[in-house]
Coordinates of all heavy atoms in Angstrom, one line a residue:
A1181 N 122.8 90.9 104.6 CA 121.7 92.0 104.4 C 120.9 92.1 105.7 O 120.8 91.1 106.4 CB 120.9 91.7 103.2
E1182 N 120.3 93.2 105.9 CA 119.4 93.4 107.1 C 118.1 92.6 106.9 O 117.6 92.5 105.8 CB 119.0 94.9 107.3 CG 120.1 95.6 108.0 CD 119.6 96.6 108.9 OE1 118.4 96.5 109.3 OE2 120.3 97.5 109.3
L1183 N 117.6 92.1 108.0 CA 116.3 91.4 108.0 C 115.2 92.4 107.7 O 115.3 93.6 108.2 CB 116.0 90.7 109.3 CG 116.9 89.5 109.7 CD1 116.6 89.0 111.0 CD2 116.8 88.4 108.6
P1184 N 114.1 92.0 107.1 CA 112.9 92.9 106.9 C 112.4 93.3 108.3 O 112.5 92.5 109.3 CB 111.9 92.1 106.2 CG 112.7 91.0 105.6 CD 113.9 90.8 106.4
A1185 N 111.8 94.5 108.4 CA 111.3 95.0 109.7 C 110.4 94.0 110.4 O 110.5 93.7 111.6 CB 110.6 96.3 109.5
G1186 N 109.4 93.4 109.7 CA 108.4 92.5 110.3 C 109.1 91.3 110.9 O 108.7 90.8 111.9
E1187 N 110.1 90.8 110.2 CA 110.8 89.6 110.7 C 111.6 90.0 112.0 O 111.6 89.2 112.9 CB 111.8 89.1 109.6 CG 112.5 87.8 110.0 CD 113.2 87.2 108.8 OE1 113.2 87.7 107.7 OE2 113.8 86.1 109.0
K1188 N 112.2 91.1 112.1 CA 112.9 91.5 113.3 C 112.0 91.7 114.5 O 112.2 91.2 115.6 CB 113.6 92.9 113.1 CG 114.9 92.8 112.4 CD 115.7 94.1 112.6 CE 116.0 94.8 111.3 NZ 116.6 96.1 111.4
I1189 N 110.8 92.3 114.2 CA 109.8 92.5 115.3 C 109.3 91.1 115.7 O 109.2 90.9 117.0 CB 108.6 93.4 114.7 CG1 109.2 94.8 114.4 CG2 107.5 93.4 115.8 CD1 108.2 95.6 113.5
F1190 N 109.1 90.2 114.8 CA 108.7 88.8 115.2 C 109.8 88.2 116.0 O 109.5 87.6 117.1 CB 108.4 88.0 113.9 CG 108.0 86.6 114.2 CD1 106.6 86.3 114.5 CD2 108.9 85.6 114.3 CE1 106.2 85.0 114.8 CE2 108.5 84.3 114.6 CZ 107.1 84.0 114.9
N1191 N 111.0 88.2 115.6 CA 112.1 87.6 116.3 C 112.2 88.1 117.8 O 112.5 87.4 118.7 CB 113.4 87.7 115.6 CG 113.5 86.9 114.3 OD1 112.6 86.0 114.1 ND2 114.4 87.2 113.4
N1192 N 112.0 89.4 117.9 CA 112.2 90.1 119.2 C 111.0 90.0 120.1 O 111.2 90.1 121.3 CB 112.6 91.6 119.0 CG 113.9 91.8 118.4 OD1 114.8 90.9 118.5 ND2 114.1 92.9 117.7
N1193 N 109.8 89.8 119.6 CA 108.6 89.9 120.5 C 107.8 88.6 120.5 O 106.9 88.4 121.4 CB 107.7 91.0 120.0 CG 108.4 92.4 120.2 OD1 108.4 92.9 121.3 ND2 109.0 92.9 119.2
C1194 N 107.9 87.8 119.5 CA 106.9 86.7 119.3 C 107.6 85.3 119.3 O 107.0 84.3 119.7 CB 106.2 86.9 117.9 SG 105.8 88.6 117.5
A1195 N 108.8 85.3 118.8 CA 109.5 84.0 118.6 C 109.6 83.2 119.9 O 109.7 81.9 119.9 CB 110.8 84.1 117.9
S1196 N 109.7 83.9 121.0 CA 109.8 83.1 122.3 C 108.7 82.1 122.5 O 108.9 81.0 123.0 CB 109.8 84.1 123.5 OG 108.7 85.0 123.4
C1197 N 107.5 82.4 122.0 CA 106.4 81.5 122.0 C 106.0 80.9 120.7 O 105.4 79.8 120.6 CB 105.1 82.2 122.6 SG 105.3 82.7 124.3
H1198 N 106.4 81.6 119.6 CA 105.9 81.2 118.3 C 107.1 80.8 117.4 O 107.0 81.1 116.1 CB 105.1 82.3 117.6 CG 103.8 82.5 118.3 ND1 102.8 81.6 118.3 CD2 103.3 83.6 119.0 CE1 101.7 82.2 118.9 NE2 102.0 83.4 119.3
I1199 N 108.2 80.3 117.9 CA 109.3 79.9 117.1 C 108.9 79.0 115.9 O 108.2 78.1 116.1 CB 110.5 79.4 117.9 CG1 111.7 79.2 117.1 CG2 110.1 78.0 118.6 CD1 113.0 79.4 117.8
G1200 N 109.4 79.4 114.7 CA 109.1 78.6 113.5 C 107.6 78.6 113.1 O 107.2 77.8 112.3
G1201 N 106.8 79.6 113.7 CA 105.4 79.6 113.4 C 104.6 78.7 114.2 O 103.4 78.5 113.9
G1202 N 105.2 78.1 115.3 CA 104.5 77.2 116.2 C 103.9 77.9 117.3 O 103.6 79.1 117.3
N1203 N 103.6 77.2 118.4 CA 103.0 77.7 119.6 C 103.4 76.8 120.7 O 103.0 75.7 120.8 CB 101.5 77.9 119.5 CG 100.9 78.6 120.7 OD1 101.4 78.6 121.8 ND2 99.8 79.4 120.4
I1204 N 104.4 77.3 121.6 CA 104.9 76.4 122.6 C 103.9 76.2 123.8 O 104.0 75.3 124.6 CB 106.3 76.9 123.2 CG1 106.2 78.2 123.9 CG2 107.3 76.9 122.0 CD1 107.4 78.5 124.7
L1205 N 102.9 77.1 123.9 CA 102.0 77.0 125.1 C 100.7 76.2 124.7 O 100.3 75.4 125.5 CB 101.6 78.4 125.5 CG 102.7 79.3 126.1 CD1 102.2 80.7 126.5 CD2 103.3 78.6 127.4
I1206 N 100.1 76.5 123.6 CA 99.0 75.8 123.1 C 99.3 75.3 121.7 O 99.2 76.0 120.7 CB 97.7 76.7 123.0 CG1 97.5 77.3 124.4 CG2 96.5 75.9 122.6 CD1 96.2 78.1 124.5
T1207 N 99.8 74.0 121.7 CA 100.5 73.5 120.5 C 99.7 73.5 119.2 O 100.3 73.6 118.2 CB 101.1 72.1 120.8 OG1 100.1 71.3 121.3 CG2 102.2 72.2 121.8
E1208 N 98.4 73.4 119.3 CA 97.6 73.4 118.1 C 97.4 74.8 117.5 O 97.1 75.0 116.4 CB 96.2 72.7 118.3 CG 95.3 73.3 119.2 CD 95.4 72.9 120.7 OE1 96.6 72.5 121.1 OE2 94.5 73.1 121.5
K1209 N 97.5 75.8 118.4 CA 97.2 77.2 117.9 C 98.5 77.8 117.3 O 99.0 78.8 117.9 CB 96.6 78.0 119.0 CG 95.2 77.6 119.4 CD 94.5 78.5 120.3 CE 93.0 78.1 120.5 NZ 92.3 79.0 121.4
T1210 N 98.9 77.3 116.2 CA 100.1 77.7 115.5 C 99.8 79.0 114.7 O 98.6 79.4 114.6 CB 100.7 76.6 114.6 OG1 99.8 76.5 113.5 CG2 100.8 75.3 115.4
L1211 N 100.8 79.5 114.0 CA 100.6 80.6 113.0 C 100.6 80.0 111.6 O 100.8 80.8 110.6 CB 101.8 81.6 113.2 CG 101.9 82.1 114.6 CD1 103.1 83.1 114.7 CD2 100.6 82.7 115.2
K1212 N 100.3 78.8 111.4 CA 100.2 78.2 110.1 C 98.7 78.5 109.6 O 97.8 78.6 110.4 CB 100.4 76.7 110.1 CG 101.8 76.4 110.6 CD 102.3 75.1 110.1 CE 103.8 74.9 110.3 NZ 104.4 73.9 109.5
K1213 N 98.6 78.5 108.3 CA 97.4 79.0 107.7 C 96.2 78.1 108.1 O 95.1 78.7 108.5 CB 97.5 78.9 106.1 CG 96.3 79.4 105.4 CD 96.6 79.5 103.9 CE 95.4 80.1 103.1 NZ 95.8 80.3 101.7
E1214 N 96.4 76.8 108.2 CA 95.3 75.9 108.6 C 94.8 76.3 110.0 O 93.6 76.3 110.3 CB 95.8 74.5 108.5 CG 94.7 73.5 108.5 CD 95.2 72.0 108.5 OE1 96.5 71.8 108.5 OE2 94.4 71.1 108.6
A1215 N 95.7 76.5 110.9 CA 95.3 76.9 112.3 C 94.7 78.3 112.4 O 93.7 78.5 113.1 CB 96.6 76.8 113.2
L1216 N 95.3 79.2 111.7 CA 94.7 80.6 111.7 C 93.3 80.6 111.2 O 92.4 81.2 111.8 CB 95.6 81.5 110.8 CG 97.0 81.8 111.4 CD1 97.9 82.4 110.3 CD2 96.9 82.6 112.6
L1217 N 93.0 79.8 110.1 CA 91.6 79.7 109.6 C 90.7 79.0 110.6 O 89.5 79.4 110.7 CB 91.6 78.9 108.3 CG 92.2 79.6 107.1 CD1 92.4 78.6 105.9 CD2 91.2 80.7 106.6
K1218 N 91.2 78.1 111.4 CA 90.4 77.4 112.3 C 90.2 78.2 113.6 O 89.1 78.1 114.2 CB 91.1 76.0 112.6 CG 90.3 75.1 113.4 CD 91.0 73.7 113.4 CE 90.3 72.7 114.3 NZ 91.0 71.4 114.3
Y1219 N 91.2 78.8 114.1 CA 91.1 79.4 115.5 C 91.0 80.9 115.6 O 90.6 81.4 116.6 CB 92.3 79.0 116.3 CG 92.5 77.5 116.5 CD1 93.5 76.8 116.0 CD2 91.5 76.8 117.2 CE1 93.7 75.4 116.1 CE2 91.6 75.4 117.4 CZ 92.7 74.7 116.9 OH 92.8 73.4 117.0
L1220 N 91.5 81.6 114.5 CA 91.6 83.1 114.7 C 90.3 83.7 114.0 O 90.2 83.6 112.7 CB 92.9 83.6 114.0 CG 93.1 85.1 114.2 CD1 93.2 85.5 115.7 CD2 94.4 85.5 113.5
E1221 N 89.5 84.3 114.8 CA 88.2 84.9 114.2 C 88.5 85.9 113.1 O 89.4 86.7 113.2 CB 87.5 85.6 115.4 CG 86.1 86.0 115.0 CD 85.3 86.4 116.2 OE1 85.7 87.2 117.0 OE2 84.1 86.0 116.3
D1222 N 87.7 85.7 112.0 CA 87.7 86.6 110.9 C 89.0 86.5 110.0 O 89.2 87.2 109.0 CB 87.6 88.1 111.2 CG 86.2 88.4 111.9 OD1 85.3 87.6 111.6 OD2 86.1 89.3 112.6
Y1223 N 89.8 85.4 110.3 CA 91.0 85.3 109.4 C 90.6 85.0 108.0 O 91.3 85.4 107.1 CB 91.9 84.1 110.0 CG 93.3 84.1 109.3 CD1 94.3 85.0 109.6 CD2 93.5 83.2 108.2 CE1 95.5 85.0 109.0 CE2 94.8 83.2 107.6 CZ 95.7 84.1 108.0 OH 96.9 84.2 107.3
D1224 N 89.5 84.3 107.8 CA 89.1 83.9 106.4 C 88.8 85.2 105.6 O 89.1 85.2 104.4 CB 88.0 82.9 106.4 CG 86.8 83.4 107.3 OD1 86.9 84.3 108.1 OD2 85.7 82.9 107.0
T1225 N 88.2 86.2 106.2 CA 87.7 87.3 105.4 C 88.6 88.5 105.5 O 88.6 89.4 104.6 CB 86.3 87.8 105.9 OG1 86.4 88.0 107.3 CG2 85.2 86.7 105.6
N1226 N 89.4 88.6 106.6 CA 90.2 89.8 106.8 C 91.5 89.5 107.6 O 91.7 89.8 108.7 CB 89.4 90.9 107.6 CG 89.8 92.3 107.3 OD1 90.9 92.5 106.8 ND2 89.0 93.2 107.6
S1227 N 92.4 88.7 106.9 CA 93.5 88.1 107.6 C 94.4 89.0 108.4 O 94.7 88.8 109.5 CB 94.3 87.3 106.5 OG 93.5 86.5 105.7
I1228 N 94.9 90.1 107.7 CA 95.8 90.9 108.4 C 95.2 91.6 109.6 O 95.8 91.7 110.6 CB 96.4 92.0 107.4 CG1 96.9 91.3 106.1 CG2 97.4 92.9 108.1 CD1 98.4 91.2 106.0
Q1229 N 93.9 92.1 109.4 CA 93.2 92.8 110.5 C 93.0 91.8 111.6 O 93.1 92.2 112.8 CB 91.9 93.4 109.9 CG 91.2 94.3 110.9 CD 92.1 95.4 111.5 OE1 92.8 96.1 110.7 NE2 92.2 95.5 112.8
A1230 N 92.7 90.5 111.3 CA 92.5 89.6 112.4 C 93.8 89.4 113.2 O 93.7 89.3 114.5 CB 92.0 88.2 111.8
I1231 N 94.9 89.3 112.5 CA 96.2 89.2 113.3 C 96.5 90.4 114.1 O 96.8 90.4 115.3 CB 97.4 88.9 112.3 CG1 97.1 87.6 111.5 CG2 98.7 88.8 113.1 CD1 98.1 87.5 110.3
I1232 N 96.2 91.6 113.5 CA 96.5 92.9 114.2 C 95.7 92.9 115.5 O 96.2 93.3 116.5 CB 96.1 94.1 113.3 CG1 97.2 94.2 112.2 CG2 96.0 95.4 114.1 CD1 96.8 95.3 111.1
H1233 N 94.4 92.5 115.4 CA 93.5 92.5 116.6 C 94.1 91.7 117.7 O 94.2 92.1 118.9 CB 92.1 92.1 116.2 CG 91.2 92.3 117.3 ND1 90.9 91.3 118.3 CD2 90.4 93.3 117.7 CE1 90.1 91.7 119.2 NE2 89.7 93.0 118.9
Q1234 N 94.5 90.5 117.3 CA 95.1 89.6 118.4 C 96.4 90.1 119.0 O 96.6 90.0 120.2 CB 95.3 88.2 117.8 CG 96.1 87.3 118.8 CD 95.3 86.0 119.2 OE1 94.2 85.8 118.7 NE2 95.9 85.2 120.0
V1235 N 97.2 90.7 118.2 CA 98.4 91.3 118.7 C 98.2 92.5 119.6 O 98.8 92.7 120.6 CB 99.4 91.6 117.5 CG1 100.7 92.3 118.0 CG2 99.8 90.4 116.7
Q1236 N 97.2 93.3 119.2 CA 96.9 94.5 120.0 C 96.4 94.1 121.4 O 96.8 94.7 122.4 CB 95.9 95.4 119.3 CG 96.4 96.2 118.1 CD 95.4 97.0 117.4 OE1 94.3 96.5 117.1 NE2 95.7 98.3 117.1
Y1237 N 95.4 93.2 121.4 CA 94.7 93.0 122.6 C 95.1 91.7 123.3 O 94.8 91.5 124.5 CB 93.2 92.9 122.3 CG 92.8 94.3 121.9 CD1 92.5 94.5 120.5 CD2 92.7 95.4 122.7 CE1 92.1 95.8 120.0 CE2 92.3 96.6 122.3 CZ 92.0 96.8 120.9 OH 91.7 98.1 120.5
G1238 N 95.9 90.8 122.6 CA 96.2 89.5 123.2 C 95.0 88.6 123.3 O 93.9 88.9 122.9
K1239 N 95.3 87.4 123.9 CA 94.1 86.5 124.1 C 94.6 85.4 125.1 O 95.7 84.8 124.9 CB 93.7 85.8 122.8 CG 92.5 85.0 122.9 CD 92.1 84.4 121.6 CE 90.9 83.5 121.7 NZ 90.6 82.8 120.4
N1240 N 93.9 85.2 126.2 CA 94.3 84.2 127.2 C 95.7 84.4 127.6 O 96.1 85.5 128.1 CB 93.9 82.8 126.7 CG 92.5 82.6 126.4 OD1 91.6 83.1 127.1 ND2 92.1 82.0 125.3
A1241 N 96.6 83.4 127.4 CA 98.0 83.4 127.8 C 98.9 84.3 126.9 O 100.0 84.5 127.3 CB 98.6 82.0 127.9
M1242 N 98.3 84.8 125.8 CA 99.1 85.7 125.0 C 99.0 87.1 125.4 O 97.8 87.6 125.5 CB 98.7 85.5 123.5 CG 99.5 86.5 122.6 SD 99.3 86.2 120.9 CE 99.5 87.8 120.2
P1243 N 100.1 87.8 125.7 CA 100.0 89.2 126.1 C 99.6 90.2 125.0 O 99.7 89.9 123.8 CB 101.4 89.5 126.6 CG 102.3 88.6 125.8 CD 101.5 87.3 125.6
A1244 N 99.0 91.3 125.4 CA 98.7 92.4 124.5 C 99.9 93.2 124.2 O 100.8 93.3 125.0 CB 97.6 93.3 125.2
F1245 N 100.0 93.7 122.9 CA 101.2 94.4 122.5 C 100.9 95.9 122.2 O 101.8 96.6 121.7 CB 101.8 93.7 121.3 CG 102.6 92.5 121.7 CD1 102.0 91.2 121.7 CD2 103.9 92.5 122.0 CE1 102.7 90.1 122.1 CE2 104.6 91.4 122.4 CZ 104.0 90.2 122.4
K1246 N 99.7 96.3 122.4 CA 99.3 97.7 122.0 C 100.1 98.8 122.7 O 100.2 99.9 122.2 CB 97.8 97.9 122.1 CG 97.2 97.8 123.4 CD 95.7 98.2 123.4 CE 95.0 97.8 124.6 NZ 95.6 98.2 125.9
D1247 N 100.6 98.5 123.9 CA 101.4 99.5 124.7 C 102.9 99.2 124.5 O 103.7 99.9 125.1 CB 101.0 99.5 126.1 CG 99.5 99.9 126.4 OD1 99.0 100.6 125.5 OD2 98.9 99.4 127.3
K1248 N 103.2 98.2 123.7 CA 104.6 97.8 123.6 C 105.1 98.1 122.2 O 106.3 98.5 122.0 CB 104.8 96.3 124.0 CG 106.2 96.0 124.1 CD 106.4 94.6 124.7 CE 108.0 94.4 124.8 NZ 108.3 93.0 124.4
L1249 N 104.3 97.8 121.2 CA 104.7 98.1 119.8 C 103.8 99.2 119.2 O 102.7 99.4 119.6 CB 104.4 96.8 119.0 CG 105.3 95.5 119.4 CD1 104.8 94.3 118.6 CD2 106.7 95.8 119.2
S1250 N 104.4 99.9 118.3 CA 103.6 101.0 117.6 C 102.6 100.4 116.6 O 102.7 99.2 116.2 CB 104.6 101.9 116.9 OG 105.1 101.2 115.7
T1251 N 101.7 101.2 116.2 CA 100.7 100.7 115.2 C 101.4 100.2 113.9 O 101.1 99.2 113.3 CB 99.8 101.9 114.8 OG1 99.2 102.4 116.0 CG2 98.7 101.5 113.8
E1252 N 102.5 100.9 113.5 CA 103.2 100.6 112.3 C 104.0 99.2 112.6 O 104.0 98.4 111.7 CB 104.2 101.7 112.0 CG 104.9 101.5 110.6 CD 106.0 102.5 110.3 OE1 106.0 103.6 110.9 OE2 106.8 102.1 109.5
E1253 N 104.5 99.1 113.7 CA 105.2 97.8 114.0 C 104.3 96.6 114.0 O 104.6 95.5 113.6 CB 105.9 97.9 115.4 CG 107.2 98.8 115.4 CD 107.7 99.0 116.7 OE1 107.0 99.2 117.7 OE2 109.0 99.1 116.9
I1254 N 103.1 96.8 114.6 CA 102.1 95.8 114.6 C 101.6 95.4 113.2 O 101.5 94.2 112.8 CB 100.9 96.1 115.5 CG1 101.3 96.2 117.0 CG2 99.7 95.2 115.4 CD1 100.3 96.7 118.0
L1255 N 101.5 96.4 112.3 CA 101.1 96.2 110.9 C 102.2 95.4 110.2 O 102.0 94.4 109.5 CB 100.9 97.5 110.2 CG 100.6 97.4 108.7 CD1 99.4 96.5 108.4 CD2 100.3 98.8 108.1
E1256 N 103.5 95.8 110.5 CA 104.6 95.1 109.9 C 104.7 93.6 110.3 O 104.9 92.7 109.5 CB 106.0 95.7 110.3 CG 106.2 97.1 109.9 CD 106.9 97.2 108.5 OE1 106.9 96.2 107.8 OE2 107.4 98.3 108.2
V1257 N 104.5 93.3 111.6 CA 104.6 91.9 112.1 C 103.4 91.1 111.6 O 103.5 89.9 111.3 CB 104.8 91.9 113.6 CG1 103.5 92.1 114.4 CG2 105.5 90.5 114.0
A1258 N 102.2 91.8 111.5 CA 101.0 91.1 111.0 C 101.2 90.7 109.5 O 100.9 89.6 109.1 CB 99.8 91.9 111.1
A1259 N 101.7 91.6 108.7 CA 102.0 91.3 107.3 C 103.0 90.2 107.1 O 102.9 89.3 106.3 CB 102.5 92.6 106.6
Y1260 N 104.0 90.2 108.0 CA 105.0 89.2 108.0 C 104.4 87.8 108.3 O 104.7 86.8 107.6 CB 106.1 89.5 109.0 CG 107.1 88.4 109.2 CD1 108.1 88.1 108.2 CD2 107.1 87.6 110.4 CE1 109.0 87.1 108.4 CE2 108.1 86.6 110.6 CZ 109.0 86.3 109.6 OH 109.9 85.3 109.8
I1261 N 103.6 87.7 109.3 CA 102.9 86.4 109.7 C 102.0 86.0 108.5 O 102.0 84.8 108.2 CB 102.1 86.6 111.0 CG1 103.1 86.6 112.1 CG2 101.1 85.5 111.1 CD1 102.5 86.9 113.4
F1262 N 101.3 86.9 107.9 CA 100.4 86.5 106.8 C 101.2 85.9 105.7 O 100.9 84.8 105.1 CB 99.6 87.7 106.3 CG 98.8 87.4 105.1 CD1 97.6 86.7 105.2 CD2 99.2 87.8 103.8 CE1 96.9 86.4 104.1 CE2 98.4 87.5 102.7 CZ 97.3 86.8 102.8
Q1263 N 102.3 86.6 105.3 CA 103.2 86.1 104.2 C 103.8 84.7 104.6 O 103.8 83.8 103.7 CB 104.3 87.2 104.0 CG 105.2 86.9 102.8 CD 106.4 87.8 102.9 OE1 106.5 88.8 103.6 NE2 107.4 87.4 102.1
K1264 N 104.3 84.6 105.8 CA 104.9 83.3 106.2 C 103.8 82.2 106.2 O 104.1 81.0 105.8 CB 105.5 83.4 107.6 CG 106.8 84.3 107.6 CD 107.9 83.7 106.8 CE 108.7 82.6 107.5 NZ 109.9 82.2 106.7
A1265 N 102.6 82.5 106.6 CA 101.5 81.5 106.6 C 101.2 81.0 105.2 O 101.0 79.9 104.9 CB 100.3 82.0 107.3
E1266 N 101.2 82.0 104.3 CA 100.9 81.7 102.9 C 102.0 80.8 102.3 O 101.8 80.0 101.4 CB 100.8 83.0 102.0 CG 99.5 83.7 102.3 CD 98.3 83.0 101.9 OE1 98.2 82.5 100.8 OE2 97.4 82.8 102.8
Q1267 N 103.2 80.9 102.9 CA 104.4 80.1 102.4 C 104.6 78.9 103.3 O 105.7 78.3 103.2 CB 105.7 81.0 102.4 CG 105.6 82.2 101.5 CD 106.7 83.2 101.7 OE1 107.5 83.0 102.7 NE2 106.8 84.2 100.9
D1268 N 103.7 78.6 104.2 CA 103.8 77.5 105.1 C 105.0 77.5 106.0 O 105.6 76.5 106.3 CB 103.6 76.1 104.3 CG 103.2 75.0 105.3 OD1 102.4 75.3 106.2 OD2 103.5 73.8 105.0
W1269 N 105.5 78.7 106.3 CA 106.6 78.9 107.2 C 107.9 78.2 106.6 O 108.7 77.8 107.4 CB 106.3 78.5 108.6 CG 105.4 79.5 109.2 CD1 104.0 79.5 109.1 CD2 105.7 80.7 110.0 NE1 103.5 80.6 109.7 CE2 104.5 81.3 110.3 CE3 106.9 81.3 110.4 CZ2 104.5 82.5 111.0 CZ3 106.9 82.4 111.2 CH2 105.7 83.1 111.5
S1270 N 108.0 78.1 105.3 CA 109.2 77.5 104.7 C 110.3 78.5 104.5 O 110.0 79.7 104.4 CB 108.8 76.8 103.4 OG 108.5 77.8 102.5
Ligands
HEM1824 C1 98.0 82.9 119.5 C2 100.5 86.2 117.0 C3 103.5 86.8 120.9 C4 101.3 83.2 123.1 C5 98.4 83.7 118.5 C6 97.8 83.9 117.2 C7 98.5 84.9 116.6 C8 99.6 85.3 117.4 C9 98.2 85.4 115.2 C10 96.6 83.1 116.8 C11 97.0 81.7 116.4 C12 95.9 80.7 116.3 O1 94.9 80.9 117.0 O2 96.1 79.6 115.7 C13 101.5 86.7 117.9 C14 102.4 87.8 117.5 C15 103.2 88.0 118.6 C16 102.8 87.0 119.6 C17 102.5 88.5 116.2 C18 104.3 89.1 118.9 C19 104.0 90.4 118.6 C20 103.2 85.9 121.8 C21 103.9 85.6 123.0 C22 103.3 84.6 123.6 C23 102.2 84.2 122.8 C24 105.2 86.3 123.4 C25 103.6 83.9 124.9 C26 104.0 84.6 126.0 C27 100.1 82.8 122.4 C28 99.1 81.9 122.8 C29 98.2 81.9 121.8 C30 98.7 82.7 120.7 C31 99.1 81.2 124.1 C32 96.8 81.1 121.8 C33 95.8 82.0 122.5 C34 94.4 81.4 122.7 O3 93.7 81.3 121.7 O4 94.2 80.9 123.8 N1 99.6 84.6 118.6 N2 101.8 86.3 119.1 N3 102.1 85.0 121.7 N4 99.8 83.3 121.1 FE1 100.8 84.8 120.1

């Protein structure tokens, strides 16, 4: 079967640095729930929106995706990350 849209977008644009929900550049800043709560501003109150913001604008060594992915694609990948974090990337 085909992969869900968010998973394909993740594999094509994010997995190079975030394979398995990790972070190859800053190893503690993973996409796991504990790290998102600790490092990503507003994740506790508005999780999907907090991910969308980081993907749109980037941060430090992470590139911005607002000129590379559509609004819909960014929403799809943010929802995918939220879901995977809730499942501990299992
Ligand atoms: C951090 C998502 C692509 C490098 C993060 C965080 C999220 C995220 C949600 C916050 C994690 C945390 O603070 O614990 C994504 C998504 C991507 C993507 C959805 C694809 C659309 C990339 C790529 C790179 C990268 C391609 C490497 C070239 C980083 C780095 C951080 C980070 C270095 C830490 C930034 C900092 O706080 O200094 N990413 N990422 N990301 N990402 Fe990405």
Side-chain angles (χ1 to χ4, degrees):
E1182 278 221 19
L1183 293 178
E1187 186 169 356
K1188 277 198 241 174
I1189 296 161
F1190 181 84
N1191 290 346
N1192 291 334
N1193 296 278
C1194 321
S1196 52
C1197 295
H1198 292 294
I1199 186 145
N1203 188 326
I1204 64 163
L1205 294 178
I1206 303 187
T1207 51
E1208 66 272 24
K1209 290 189 172 180
T1210 70
L1211 306 182
K1212 297 204 169 198
K1213 186 172 183 176
E1214 200 185 356
L1216 293 167
L1217 285 168
K1218 189 168 174 185
Y1219 299 115
L1220 187 59
E1221 190 167 45
D1222 296 334
Y1223 191 78
D1224 55 338
T1225 55
N1226 208 342
S1227 308
I1228 305 257
Q1229 191 52 52
I1231 300 169
I1232 287 174
H1233 186 273
Q1234 171 118 1
V1235 175
Q1236 283 179 316
Y1237 298 103
K1239 188 178 175 188
N1240 301 318
M1242 175 168 153
F1245 285 88
K1246 63 175 165 44
D1247 297 331
K1248 190 168 181 220
L1249 297 176
S1250 70
T1251 303
E1252 191 186 338
E1253 287 171 322
I1254 291 174
L1255 176 58
E1256 295 270 17
V1257 79
Y1260 173 72
I1261 285 174
F1262 176 74
Q1263 187 193 343
K1264 292 296 279 184
E1266 289 297 308
Q1267 299 166 354
D1268 203 29
W1269 289 84
S1270 64

